[in-house]
C-alpha cells in the first residue's frame, strides 16, 4: 500500500527554505546508530512510505530520492508513491549520495542533516566530498522531519530497565569498569563516551526493551577514572537498578538522557574518547563553538572490542540458547508436517506457532527480529514479513522460507 507523501514533502520544503537548505538528508538511523529503530525514530519510513530497515532519503526543492540496496528494491517500488525516485544503491549506474549532490546542487549550497543521525565517519566522508565543490554540510539539530510529523510522531519508549544476573553475564560491571579504565590509562584518555545502546547495556549489565526485538534502552554512559555518568530517563530506573549500580568504589551518577550534549560541552581540557560510529552531534558538543580546549579521539570504542570477546559464561549461554532453539524448531517442523497438508497453515499462523514454541523454552526473552515466514512468490522477497494483505497458505507444492532466531 502506497502512502501519499505530497503534503509531507511540501511542509518539509517550506522548512528547508526557512533554513536556507538546498537539500535535506534523512538517514535510516537514530542518535545511537542502532540497527533497529524505535517507531519514534523511523523518520525515513514516515517521509517516504518505505519501511525497509535500510535506506537514505534526500529531498531538494524539486526532487525526492531514496537510496536503498537490492534487498529492498521491490519493496521500495511497491511502497513509495510517484513523488519518489528509487536510487538502486549498489548498481554501477547509481551515483553515491555525495556524487548526486555535487552534480545537482550549485556551489555555495547548503546540505542539511540532523547531526545526531550521522556518524562521525559518515559526516567526515560526505563533508570532504561536498567541500571539493564548495557545498557546505550544515548541522540542523532541530530535526525537520520531526516538525512535519508533529503530534503524530510516537513518543520515545520508556520501558523499565532490569539488571542482568551474573549467571548470564559472567562478569560484574565493576570488573568491566576496572578493565576499561586500564585501556583508558594506556591511551591517556580522561573520558570515555558510550553512545551505542548495546555497549552501555553490556558494560553495566543492564537490559531493557525500548526497541522491539532488542534488549536495550535509550541511554548514554560516560566513564572517567573515578565516576560513571549514566544518562537515562529517570522513569526507567527501578530500585532494582539503583541497588545493582550501588558501589562505594565505583560512583554512578544518574543524569537526564537529554543532558548528554550539555555535559560534554561543559568539559574543559580533557582528552575524550568517542567511537567513530558515534553521532557527529556528540563530537560537535565536545569540540564546542568556537573550538574548545578538549582533545577528541574518534576510533572504535574499547567497550565494543571487550564486548566482542565472550567469556566462558557468555559462550555457554550461546550454546544453551541454540540447543533450546533447535528443540523448538524440531517441534515446529513436526507440527508443519502434520498441519500443512490440511491446508489451514498460513504464513502468519505458522509464524505465530513457531514463536509460541520458542516462548515455551526456558529463559526466553523474545525474538531477535520478526520471523520471516514466506511461501511461493513471497519467499522471493528479501526480509519479507507477512501481513493480513499478503498472507498466503502454506502448501506442499511451493517453497517455504523461514528465518528468525531468539535472544
Amino acid at each position: 500500500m502506497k502512502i501519499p507523501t505530497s503534503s509531507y514533502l511540501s511542509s518539509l520544503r517550506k522548512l528547508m527554505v526557512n533554513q536556507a537548505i538546498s537539500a535535506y538528508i534523512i538517514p535510516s538511523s537514530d542518535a545511537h546508530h542502532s540497527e533497529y529503530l524505535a517507531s519514534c525514530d523511523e523518520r525515513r519510513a514516515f517521509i517516504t512510505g518505505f519501511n525497509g530497515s535500510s535506506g537514505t532519503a534526500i529531498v531538494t526543492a524539486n526532487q525526492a530520492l531514496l537510496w536503498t540496496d537490492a534487498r529492498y528494491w521491490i519493496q521500495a517500488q511497491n511502497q513509495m508513491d510517484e513523488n519518489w525516485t528509487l536510487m538502486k544503491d549498489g548498481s554501477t549506474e547509481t551515483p553515491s549520495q555525495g556524487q548526486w549532490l555535487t552534480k545537482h546542487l550549485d556551489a555555495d549550497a547548503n546540505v542539511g542533516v540532523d547531526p545526531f543521525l550521522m556518524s562521525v565517519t559518515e559526516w567526515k566522508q560526505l563533508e570532504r566530498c561536498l567541500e571539493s565543490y564548495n557545498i557546505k554540510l550544515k548541522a540542523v539539530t532541530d530535526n525537520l522531519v520531526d516538525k512535519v510529523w508533529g503530534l503524530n510522531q510516537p513518543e520515545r519508549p520508556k520501558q523499565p530497565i532490569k539488571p542482568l544476573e551474573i549467571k548470564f553475564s559472567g562478569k560484574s560491571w565493576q570488573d568491566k569498569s576496572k578493565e576499561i579504565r586500564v585501556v583508558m590509562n594506556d591511551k591517556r584518555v580522561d573520558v570515555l563516551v558510550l553512545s551505542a545502546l548495546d555497549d552501555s547495556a553490556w558494560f553495566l549489565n543492564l537490559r531493557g526493551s525500548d526497541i522491539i526485538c532488542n534488549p536495550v534502552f535509550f541511554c548514554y554512559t560516560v566513564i572517567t577514572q573515578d565516576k560513571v555518568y549514566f544518562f537515562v530517563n529517570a522513569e526507567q530506573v527501578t530500585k532494582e537498578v539503583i541497588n545493582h549500580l550501588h558501589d562505594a568504589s565505583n560512583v554512578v551518577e544518574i543524569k537526564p538522557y537529554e543532558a548528554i550534549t550539555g555535559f560534554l560541552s561543559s568539559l574543559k581540557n580533557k582528552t575524550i574518547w568517542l567511537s567513530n560510529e558515534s553521532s557527529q552531534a556528540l563530537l560537535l558538543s565536545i569540540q564546542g563553538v568556537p573550538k574548545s580546549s578538549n582533545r577528541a579521539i574518534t576510533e572504535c570504542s574499547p567497550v565494543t572490542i571487550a564486548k566482542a570477546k565472550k567469556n566462558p559464561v557468555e559462550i555457554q549461554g550461546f550454546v544453551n540458547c541454540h540447543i533450546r532453539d533447535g528443540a523448538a524448531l524440531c517441534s515446529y517442523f513436526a507440527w508443519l508436517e502434520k498441519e500443512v497438508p490440511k491446508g489451514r497453515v498460513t504464513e502468519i499462523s505458522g509464524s505465530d506457532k513457531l514463536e509460541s514454541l520458542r516462548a515455551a523454552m526456558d529463559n526466553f526473552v523474545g525474538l531477535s527480529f520478526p520471523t520471516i515466514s514466506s511461501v511461493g512468490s513471497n519467499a522471493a522477497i528479501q526480509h519479507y514479513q507477512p501481513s493480513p494483505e499478503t498472507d498466503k497458505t502454506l502448501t506442499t507444492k511451493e517453497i517455504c522460507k523461514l528465518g528468525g532466531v531468539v535472544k
Side-chain angles (χ1 to χ4, degrees), residues 29-44:
S29 182
D30 63 11
H32 306 273
H33 296 269
S34 308
E35 181 179 1
Y36 294 86
L37 303 180
S39 56
C40 61
D41 289 316
E42 293 178 341
R43 299 176 177 89
R44 188 265 304 146

Side-chain angles (χ1 to χ4, degrees), residues 95-106:
S96 68
Q97 296 157 37
Q99 290 170 338
W100 189 92
L101 289 167
T102 57
K103 183 178 179 180
H104 290 83
L105 298 183
D106 297 330

